[in-house]
Amino acid sequence: MRKLSLSDEILLQVEKPARYIGNEVNAANKDKSAVDVSVCMCFPDVYEIGMSHLGIQILYDMFNRRDDVYCDRVYSPWMDLDKIMREKQIPLFAVESQEPVKSFNFLGITIQYEMCYTNILQILDLSQIPIFAFERSEDDPIVIGGGPCTYNPEPIAPFFDLFYMGEGETQYYPLIDLYKKHKANHSSRMEFLAEAAMLPGIYVPAFYDVAYNEDGTIKSFQPNREGIPKTIRKELVLNMNETYYPDKPLVPHIRATQDRVVLEIQRGCIRGCRFCQAGMVYRPVRERSLKFLKEQAKKMLKSTGHEEISLSSLSSSDYSHLEELVTFLIEECGKKKINISLPSLRIDAFSLDVMSKVQDIKKSSLTFAPEAGSQRLRNVINKGLTEEVILEGAGMAFEGGWNRVKLYFMLGLPTETEEDMKGIAELSEKIAKRYYEIPKEQRHGKVQIVASSSFFVPKPFTPFQWAKMCTKEEFLERARLVNRTFKEQLNKKSLKYNWHEADVTVLEGVLARGDRRVAPVIVKAYEKGCIFDAWSETFDNDRWMEAFEQCNVSIDFYNTRERNVDEVLPWDFIDTGVSKEFLKREWNHAKEETVTPNCRMRCSGCGVMQFGGGVCFENKN
């Protein structure tokens, strides 16, 4: 099949031509025709966001290490190029080879966020690949889904040939080898999928049937083919020092969302916040060694020329060797004028000391995430932060020279009361007042407190997966109440408050906890022109509401009812290692306002010890 490219004439008509031309620093630039298997990795959003995603960087490097595999990339064309491609009937192509996406053996789509679901259909449609898996021919790529949204793949299950559950470093090579075997034997698509379904972590939706009760709940979810597993267990990397990590990450042509070297220091989280899906599904905590991280930092900084390095994890403060790592990076980066970014830190004396060494305090702001305004509600969500700790941390920060603080909260959490909502403004005011307790000569101007609230979405595999969700009107009513409380505060000039869009949150809730009956709604919304739903300037809620109505699918059924703990949930066939019994216990603890200690303080028997590694075994050697 001939190579495709955009003419200069077309490139001049689009906003950022560099999104589509390939040939970035450290690109593989292999010959697709000289390999046995070709893989096109897709991030269904614009180039700048996709190029910031560490997972694709890891898989891209991992695939291209093999001489018999070529991995290229594709991202969602922005609205300007999308229009031109449709008008001129240009098939979507990979950025490096400029080969049609349809000509690859695999199309691997990373699914990070529910609001990218219509972009998945855009990718398939522009690639001239049938949207529904059952319509694909022997010549179409095998379409694979991976990433956090696959922990409930059911709303998008009809669009995928298979899903990979968990961390990609363990089973992708066996999957490639299996494909090579079937390709040599001239096997059919279904023959390959049937054997692929036997690999750990691989879910093939076509081999499972769903039956429903009269009330709309799921009656059963069963394999429809002999030998297909009833449950799919997530894949997990146990030794974080003997796995794949890019020495030479791709460097984008234009400024990406995260235009820096990303050093992943650990996976998982010990904290157990009851609203947090990542904290549950990425268990157990597994750290990378100090030696590994030092070596990787030096290699990646040298190969990219980036002027910033960021430490990546769900809770960087919990990394055992953070102080030694930061000391090394200061020494390594300081002489080269490379900035060090430390996201996901808890605000305590140790973290503030670390941050003060790497940040210009006159230019930076600190981020706290109390999540809830009252201590009662923080206990419900198992946040593990008391008001005393929050104010003490703020005080130490102010004394250290910071004067700008961002506060993140959630509205609509289970058991939330008016007092909890008002507590958001009251806690913000207390933090502002704490600044003025510092002697005037030690202050750096006026304090600035910016509080933001997102709206709560109950996610699969969290203790809140059974919780009901607020309606759009209820969300907005709560935000207005908090806003009124802020306006009543005495120290108005120091405080600002904003909140997330309720429309998007309601839709995210349906897509996060829906089943296969939601898939036609996604198709209908796409047909109405919905793409880039994660972008406020392109999101059209009215079109989505029309799609739900025309498909006769109830938003309330998925969002606003509390689910029975014995109900069959759409994602129950997946085994993340965290048991349903543990999640039920935590759901009850939430209702009792009981705090569960973090994993290093005490094991709570969540179930992930079955994997035989990580934090669960730190003190058992």
Side-chain angles (χ1 to χ4, degrees):
M1 198 175 289
R2 70 181 182 87
K3 287 191 175 184
L4 299 172
S5 61
L6 293 180
S7 68
D8 292 343
E9 180 188 352
I10 291 175
L11 285 173
L12 289 171
Q13 295 176 47
V14 301
E15 182 185 356
K16 295 181 180 179
R19 289 167 167 163
Y20 313 108
I21 59 176
N23 293 312
E24 299 98 336
V25 172
N26 296 330
N29 291 319
K30 293 167 79 171
D31 182 358
K32 180 169 171 285
S33 64
V35 300
D36 298 321
V37 181
S38 57
V39 180
C40 189
M41 291 299 300
C42 167
F43 195 97
D45 209 323
V46 290
Y47 174 88
E48 297 94 303
I49 294 178
M51 282 292 285
S52 300
H53 185 246
L54 178 60
I56 283 188
Q57 290 268 15
I58 291 173
L59 292 177
Y60 175 86
D61 177 76
M62 184 182 92
F63 284 131
N64 280 316
R65 289 187 188 194
R66 286 183 54 153
D67 293 335
D68 58 347
V69 178
Y70 170 48
C71 182
D72 204 334
R73 296 158 289 124
V74 68
Y75 308 95
S76 286
W78 185 244
M79 306 293 286
D80 49 5
L81 183 58
D82 177 282
K83 183 173 182 289
I84 294 170
M85 295 183 80
R86 293 177 194 276
E87 288 174 352
K88 298 186 179 293
Q89 297 185 327
I90 302 171
L92 186 61
F93 51 89
V95 295
E96 286 176 39
S97 63
Q98 303 283 292
E99 294 275 1
V101 170
K102 186 181 171 69
S103 70
F104 284 75
N105 300 129
F106 289 96
L107 172 60
I109 304 177
T110 294
I111 317 164
Q112 289 293 119
Y113 182 34
E114 291 86 355
M115 300 310 296
C116 289
Y117 285 179
T118 51
N119 277 52
I120 294 171
L121 303 191
Q122 177 211 29
I123 294 288
L124 294 171
D125 193 13
L126 289 178
S127 300
Q128 300 175 3
I129 299 169
I131 283 175
F132 290 101
F134 74 88
E135 294 179 341
R136 290 176 196 141
S137 71
E138 299 294 332
D139 296 327
D140 288 311
I142 301 294
V143 181
I144 309 175
C149 289
T150 60
Y151 285 107
N152 178 22
E154 291 306 277
I156 50 175
F159 315 137
F160 285 84
D161 295 298
L162 62 86
F163 289 94
Y164 184 115
M165 302 295 180
E167 297 171 352
E169 294 96 329
T170 62
Q171 289 300 322
Y172 265 125
Y173 275 9
L175 185 68
I176 293 290
D177 292 336
L178 181 65
Y179 184 82
K180 280 182 66 176
K181 184 189 85 171
H182 279 272
K183 186 178 179 182
N185 293 336
H186 303 288
S187 304
S188 70
R189 187 183 194 89
M190 293 307 289
E191 286 172 326
F192 164 71
L193 290 173
E195 198 166 345
M198 308 304 289
L199 288 175
I202 302 298
Y203 165 51
V204 180
F207 298 152
Y208 297 80
D209 290 334
V210 191
Y212 301 95
N213 295 308
E214 288 185 10
D215 64 359
T217 58
I218 294 175
K219 182 178 182 180
S220 64
F221 185 94
Q222 296 291 335
N224 58 27
R225 197 178 179 109
E226 190 175 344
I228 299 297
K230 286 188 175 181
T231 60
I232 314 293
R233 191 171 89 151
K234 74 174 182 185
E235 281 298 290
L236 199 69
V237 176
L238 288 176
N239 189 332
M240 297 294 289
N241 302 313
E242 294 180 9
T243 185
Y244 304 97
Y245 205 82
D247 296 339
K248 299 179 179 181
L250 288 158
V251 181
H253 284 307
I254 54 179
R255 187 170 183 83
T257 309
Q258 296 183 18
D259 202 12
R260 58 185 76 108
V261 162
V262 179
L263 193 63
E264 184 189 41
I265 59 177
Q266 63 184 14
R267 290 182 187 171
C269 183
I270 62 171
R271 297 291 161 181
C273 296
R274 293 177 181 133
F275 58 84
C276 182
Q277 185 186 53
M280 295 292 166
V281 300
Y282 295 142
R283 289 184 174 207
V285 168
R286 291 145 292 144
E287 296 186 344
R288 295 190 191 271
S289 72
L290 190 59
K291 180 184 177 185
F292 177 93
L293 294 173
K294 286 179 177 181
E295 290 173 356
Q296 285 301 126
K298 287 192 284 190
K299 289 176 183 175
M300 292 191 294
L301 287 169
K302 183 179 180 180
S303 68
T304 61
H306 279 308
E307 296 177 348
E308 184 172 346
I309 186 167
S310 176
L311 305 187
S312 172
S313 78
L314 293 174
S315 180
S316 299
S317 302
D318 295 323
Y319 177 63
S320 301
H321 306 288
L322 184 63
E323 189 170 12
E324 301 100 302
L325 179 60
V326 170
T327 300
F328 165 79
L329 290 175
I330 289 171
E331 191 176 306
E332 187 72 18
C333 300
K335 54 196 174 191
K336 300 175 184 175
K337 296 185 178 179
I338 293 169
N339 295 323
I340 304 168
S341 174
L342 298 169
S344 307
L345 286 178
R346 295 171 72 83
I347 307 301
D348 53 25
F350 166 68
S351 299
L352 288 167
D353 180 58
V354 169
M355 279 187 284
S356 67
K357 293 175 181 176
V358 302
Q359 287 191 8
D360 180 349
I361 60 175
K362 293 179 182 177
K363 295 180 180 178
S364 66
S365 62
L366 282 179
T367 299
F368 290 78
E371 308 293 359
S374 72
Q375 191 57 50
R376 185 200 72 81
L377 194 53
R378 282 194 293 276
N379 291 347
V380 168
I381 65 177
N382 206 47
K383 182 60 185 175
L385 276 178
T386 64
E387 183 173 296
E388 181 184 1
V389 168
I390 294 168
L391 293 176
E392 184 181 343
M396 288 187 292
F398 295 146
E399 288 164 7
W402 281 275
N403 68 340
R404 291 185 290 166
V405 174
K406 295 177 183 176
L407 300 172
Y408 290 121
F409 298 92
M410 271 189 284
L411 283 172
L413 287 161
T415 79
E416 185 178 64
T417 65
E418 187 172 313
E419 185 180 343
D420 300 322
M421 297 175 224
K422 289 181 176 178
I424 292 174
E426 291 163 0
L427 180 60
S428 302
E429 172 73 0
K430 288 176 183 177
I431 292 172
K433 282 183 176 178
R434 179 67 182 83
Y435 179 77
Y436 291 104
E437 293 174 7
I438 298 171
K440 192 171 184 179
E441 62 274 12
Q442 295 179 24
R443 298 178 206 155
H444 294 259
K446 293 182 179 179
V447 70
Q448 297 174 22
I449 309 292
V450 179
S452 302
S453 61
S454 60
F455 296 125
F456 166 68
V457 176
K459 289 293 180 87
F461 296 108
T462 68
F464 290 161
Q465 65 182 357
W466 295 283
K468 66 178 181 179
M469 193 171 154
C470 291
T471 63
K472 171 187 172 181
E473 293 72 23
E474 288 170 336
F475 277 137
L476 292 176
E477 186 180 321
R478 291 170 192 231
R480 292 186 194 108
L481 184 142
V482 175
N483 196 39
R484 285 196 302 272
T485 312
F486 265 95
K487 289 179 177 179
E488 292 165 3
Q489 297 292 340
L490 297 175
N491 196 359
K492 295 176 185 175
K493 291 182 181 178
S494 299
L495 301 173
K496 289 184 180 179
Y497 174 66
N498 51 60
W499 60 90
H500 192 58
E501 298 119 319
D503 287 340
V504 174
T505 305
V506 169
L507 184 53
E508 184 185 337
V510 180
L511 299 178
R513 293 198 297 174
D515 50 43
R516 294 187 186 186
R517 292 169 295 185
V518 174
V521 180
I522 300 171
V523 175
K524 182 67 71 175
Y526 173 70
E527 290 171 348
K528 289 176 175 292
C530 292
I531 52 172
F532 290 103
D533 298 305
W535 296 69
S536 56
E537 64 263 43
T538 50
F539 176 65
D540 191 328
N541 191 61
D542 290 340
R543 290 178 181 174
W544 272 100
M545 294 305 103
E546 289 170 9
F548 276 99
E549 187 175 347
Q550 290 171 16
C551 294
N552 196 28
V553 173
S554 166
I555 290 176
D556 288 342
F557 175 79
Y558 294 106
N559 279 8
T560 59
R561 66 183 181 91
E562 182 173 319
R563 304 190 184 193
N564 189 297
V565 291
D566 297 320
E567 179 180 329
V568 177
L569 301 173
W571 50 89
D572 275 349
F573 69 95
I574 302 168
D575 178 9
T576 67
V578 176
S579 70
K580 202 168 186 179
E581 289 68 31
F582 169 75
L583 296 177
K584 287 178 182 178
R585 288 202 305 272
E586 284 296 286
W587 181 221
N588 289 327
H589 287 332
K591 292 175 180 177
E592 296 161 0
E593 302 171 15
T594 302
V595 173
T596 300
N598 73 60
C599 297
R600 284 201 171 109
M601 291 175 67
R602 188 189 76 201
C603 176
S604 298
C606 73
V608 296
M609 282 188 74
Q610 64 176 285
F611 289 107
V615 68
C616 307
F617 292 84
E618 279 180 358
N619 300 317
K620 297 182 183 295
N621 297 329

